[in-house]
Amino acid sequence: MKVLGLFNNAQSVLTLAPGDVVFTEGDPGDEMYGVIEGEIELRVGDRVIGSLGVDDVFGEMALVDSVPRSATAVAVTDAQLAVIDRHRFLFLVQETPMFALSVMSAMADRFRQRD
């Protein structure tokens, strides 16, 4: 599920080169990410479980349940990511109900694709 244009004016942006790791499976997580440009792969071991592009979100599960990362996120291309910490996440959920629905939809889609 895309969060159309929501991250274009992000307060914190992470710039990545191909092969850069955003986070590793098992890492603690206190941020989620929105893809501003580029492509990100989510991997469990050697298996790619998701490919994400512009306006996709990832890393949200760690903010929701405070459990370590369940996958590794790697830049496939040059990429820019909006970095959303817990405080900003809660603000977006409260102030932008469509953001909350989009995040829940993204989580549901990834769960369905893993089976």
Side-chain angles (χ1 to χ4, degrees):
M1 172 67 87
K2 306 270 185 188
V3 192
L4 301 173
L6 185 63
F7 303 121
N8 290 340
N9 297 313
Q11 296 172 346
S12 178
V13 175
L14 180 62
T15 300
L16 303 165
D20 285 352
V21 175
V22 182
F23 55 75
T24 302
E25 184 177 358
D27 284 352
D30 56 0
E31 299 168 327
M32 67 171 283
Y33 303 88
V35 181
I36 298 170
E37 65 181 55
E39 184 180 343
I40 303 293
E41 281 185 349
L42 299 178
R43 303 174 182 169
V44 174
D46 292 332
R47 194 174 112 221
V48 175
I49 62 166
S51 292
L52 308 172
V54 174
D55 289 329
D56 282 325
V57 295
F58 66 99
E60 70 286 338
M61 285 175 42
L63 292 180
V64 172
D65 64 8
S66 300
V67 172
R69 302 288 187 184
S70 60
T72 297
V74 180
V76 177
T77 65
D78 288 329
Q80 283 197 331
L81 306 178
V83 180
I84 299 125
D85 64 15
R86 184 176 304 278
H87 178 74
R88 182 80 176 146
F89 173 76
L90 294 173
F91 173 82
L92 288 169
V93 166
Q94 182 176 10
E95 296 297 319
T96 313
M98 286 307 296
F99 171 78
L101 291 173
S102 294
V103 168
M104 288 187 286
S105 179
M107 288 173 57
D109 287 346
R110 271 195 234 94
F111 278 122
R112 285 190 189 101
Q113 291 172 4
R114 286 182 94 164
D115 294 336

